[in-house]
Amino acid sequence: MNKAWHWGWIAPPVLLVALVAGASIGETAIPAQTVLSVLANKLFGTAIPVDRIDAGIIWNYRLSRALIAACCGAGLALSGVVLQALLRNALADPYLLGISAGASTGAVAVTVAGLGGGLVSLSAGAFVGACAAFVLVVALAQAAGGGTGARAAGVIILAGIAGSQLFNALTAFVIAKSANAEQARGIMFWLLGNLSGVRWPDAWLAVPAAVLALTVCVLHIRALDAFTFGSDSAASLGIAVRRCQAVLIGVTALVTAVMVSLVGSIGFVGLVIPHAMRFLVGVRHGRLIPASALAGAVFLIASDIISRIVIPGQVLPIGVITALIGAPAFALILVRGRSGR
Amino acid sequence: MKIAAEGVGWQVGGTTIVDGVTFDVSPGEMFGLVGPNGSGKSTLLKMLAGIRPPSAGRIALADAPLETLSRRRIAQTVAFVEQFADTVDRITVRDAVELGRTPWLSALAPWSARDEAAVSDALASVDMTRFAARSWHTLSGGERQRVHIARALAQHPAILVLDEPTNHLDIHHQLSILTLIRRLRVTTIVALHDLNQAMNCDRVGIMDQGRLVAVGTPHEVLTADRIEATFAIRTTICIDPSDGTRLLRFHNAT
Ligand SMILES: Nc1ncnc2c1ncn2[C@@H]1O[C@H](COP(=O)(O)OP(=O)(O)OP(=O)(O)O)[C@@H](O)[C@H]1O
Ligand SMILES: [Mg+2]
């Protein structure tokens, strides 16, 4: 055990390669060398000559986009790991607690219903909606009670389903009542995940959020392991179960809300990357946490690249790609994992 | 280490599950807890292990009230083996036993050779060393039980709280686990269904409908009358001619 530090060596180069690929592949391919030159110029103040237009595309569009994709992938995958471990439920995903439903309600409240009178951005609306939904779900779970055991996990999941349904219905209501076809299509695109609009300022939210998720998860590696046999067993191993659940679920919910408000609810990553990594590196969180963060980041960068190049002249919603690649890949891992162990 | 309960009770939704339980267990003593299904043994043990706060009364570890100790501090002292604990995670036997080291690890005290040794020793003492690399879900019920016990032993507790530890074990492993626990000389509280196994404890407590109705040495407590009152069966006490040990033989109450 305790091989976590290995990841400190593996992750940065892999991530760098993925980011460079994300910046160089696109409708106009730009050589990786140019990408590295732009990076050097921007980060280390070198003065390697590069084409101004290329430099602009790389720095202003593709790099920020790839970086945000990486942060979202890592954040969502970590949220999935945490929720699956704490709720002892293989189907738990970051949107389980109503976050994406709430975000969509917030988004349509701003864009369609015109809440905030044009002063509030879609992202801000989505963030507020996500937080409101999460708070409601937690309050509902608390009111339904159930302590910390298996029943409590069931109560949280049910509260999440109820909250999600409520907010999805609100979203549908707003769209049905006042959206025109154009707006409805835009919202649908946004709900499936959309990285087109992201720029550097968004990265200053996404990067700290992903770092926060990773830090909190790494600090709780042993606690997450201790939940293997349920929360009573975790308590008997010295874990302050309630505090630990509150911190981990609170932080991952916050991180998920940030990601969803930036790029919409990209599905699949938070559910499937953790499972895929369990098959590949095992269930101990010392390996699972770094592996999931890295795999989530790389997977979303790759999905974004594919979403930009698969249909020339058109960008597909990234959520479509994550599901299209993810589902068969996951099926393959499942089938191979069965015979492997 | 000594553990003491004073007027401990637990209620849920207006029903009293455990009621005014008072007893203490001295250092190194093996205390058996017997009683019919639903009499509150598991609930009491969870409170003693600090997992469930009592709704009445207090519990003290070596005179320190349980509620003043951190969860981690309690776990460094008390190890608990639940009646049922399962997982769908694909962990190995060794992984499961390594969890027992959790209360001793921190950023300043990372995994070390000492922890490695504690895990290997614990596996060896329940005769599970050759299963170390096996996947949890391939184990039989009794093997799982032995892994849980190994996990508790790896915790290096001063007090061991065991909820029906011999439940799924074959007769050989029942005896070897109980002998092992006796030999460890840690304070042990163990819920048992086999009254003949309870005869080997230093003292026995009988739970009946949430109350501790009798406490004392096995000979004082496990009498034919007492057993009939609690379990509604008749008992004949026999003497093993080879060593003079007392054995209980049970008949349906007529
Ligand atoms: N959370 C709960 N809500 C309601 N009733 C409960 C709860 N927990 C335990 N009980 C009830 O309390 C009683 C005591 O349960 P407990 O598990 O302590 O019994 P036990 O003595 O360990 O029984 P067994 O020998 O079957 O293991 C049972 O009747 C059980 O149904
Ligand atoms: Mg029980």
Side-chain angles (χ1 to χ4, degrees), chain B residues 10 12 15 17-18 35-44 52 83-84 163-164 193 207:
Chain B
W10 195 71
V12 62
T15 338
I17 308 286
V18 172
N37 291 141
S39 56
K41 302 182 295 296
S42 298
T43 311
L44 177 62
R52 191 171 273 181
Q83 188 171 4
F84 312 100
D163 198 350
E164 297 182 29
H193 273 304
M207 290 287 289

Side-chain angles (χ1 to χ4, degrees), chain A residues 291-303:
Chain A
S292 298
L294 182 62
V298 172
F299 179 66
L300 262 205
I301 294 177
S303 300

Side-chain angles (χ1 to χ4, degrees), chain A:
Chain A
M1 73 176 281
N2 266 325
K3 296 282 162 53
W5 60 269
H6 281 304
W7 293 94
W9 295 107
I10 300 169
V14 173
L15 208 52
L16 186 70
V17 169
L19 286 171
V20 169
S24 86
I25 304 171
E27 231 170 325
T28 46
I30 300 172
Q33 201 189 345
T34 317
V35 176
L36 289 173
S37 307
V38 173
L39 265 180
N41 287 350
K42 287 284 184 182
L43 297 181
F44 306 116
T46 53
I48 309 166
V50 277
D51 183 274
R52 288 244 332 264
I53 294 176
D54 281 357
I57 292 178
I58 290 169
W59 185 255
N60 292 329
Y61 295 97
R62 292 192 186 164
L63 264 180
S64 54
R65 183 176 178 138
L67 188 61
I68 288 170
C71 292
C72 287
L76 292 174
L78 290 174
S79 300
V81 169
V82 164
L83 288 179
Q84 287 164 12
L86 293 186
L87 301 179
R88 310 297 319 144
N89 190 309
L91 293 178
D93 88 338
Y95 305 139
L96 179 78
L97 302 177
I99 289 168
S100 91
S104 69
T105 307
V108 298
V110 169
T111 54
V112 179
L115 214 71
L119 295 174
V120 182
S121 70
L122 181 146
S123 288
F127 183 74
V128 172
C131 293
F134 176 68
V135 168
L136 183 87
V137 166
V138 169
L140 185 56
Q142 291 284 338
T148 53
R151 199 182 92 81
V155 166
I156 293 175
I157 292 170
L158 289 177
I161 291 173
S164 298
Q165 294 293 342
L166 173 69
F167 280 87
N168 282 335
L170 282 175
T171 307
F173 177 77
V174 174
I175 291 180
K177 186 165 168 288
S178 33
N180 54 38
E182 186 57 31
Q183 280 176 321
R185 190 179 138 88
I187 290 291
M188 204 199 79
F189 252 65
W190 184 81
L191 284 180
L192 282 168
N194 185 354
L195 283 160
S196 306
V198 297
R199 296 291 179 271
W200 279 112
D202 301 317
W204 303 135
L205 281 173
V207 172
V211 170
L212 174 70
L214 186 60
T215 311
V216 169
C217 286
V218 166
L219 290 176
H220 285 86
I221 281 174
R222 293 213 179 81
L224 286 164
D225 276 343
F227 278 88
T228 302
F229 289 97
S231 52
D232 275 355
S233 161
S236 78
L237 292 170
I239 306 301
V241 170
R242 277 185 168 269
R243 188 195 57 87
C244 186
Q245 284 175 333
V247 169
L248 281 168
I249 293 182
V251 165
T252 52
L254 180 73
V255 170
T256 306
V258 169
M259 301 309 180
V260 171
S261 64
L262 292 178
V263 302
S265 29
I266 300 173
F268 221 76
V269 187
L271 176 64
V272 164
I273 293 287
H275 285 304
M277 289 304 111
R278 282 193 191 96
F279 276 110
L280 295 179
V281 304
V283 296
R284 296 297 293 270
H285 290 83
R287 271 174 250 143
L288 183 59
I289 294 278
S292 298
L294 182 62
V298 172
F299 179 66
L300 262 205
I301 294 177
S303 300
D304 180 47
I305 294 174
I306 295 169
S307 78
R308 285 185 282 128
I309 61 173
V310 70
I311 302 179
Q314 194 184 342
V315 178
L316 284 173
I318 187 170
V320 173
I321 306 295
T322 56
L324 280 180
I325 312 176
F330 186 56
L332 194 72
I333 291 172
L334 267 182
V335 172
R336 285 198 31 201
R338 244 178 86 97
S339 53
R341 293 187 191 206

Side-chain angles (χ1 to χ4, degrees), chain A residues 1-2 88 222 225 228-229 232-233 235-240 283-284 341, chain B residues 46 51 71-72 75 82 87 89-91 95 98-99 103 105 111 136 155:
Chain A
M1 73 176 281
N2 266 325
R88 310 297 319 144
R222 293 213 179 81
D225 276 343
T228 302
F229 289 97
D232 275 355
S233 161
S236 78
L237 292 170
I239 306 301
V283 296
R284 296 297 293 270
R341 293 187 191 206
Chain B
K46 280 186 185 168
I51 291 172
R71 270 254 42 102
R72 188 176 158 86
E82 287 173 89
T87 183
D89 286 352
R90 291 171 161 251
I91 57 165
D95 285 336
E98 282 181 0
L99 293 179
L105 301 172
W111 189 262
W136 171 264
Q155 219 168 320

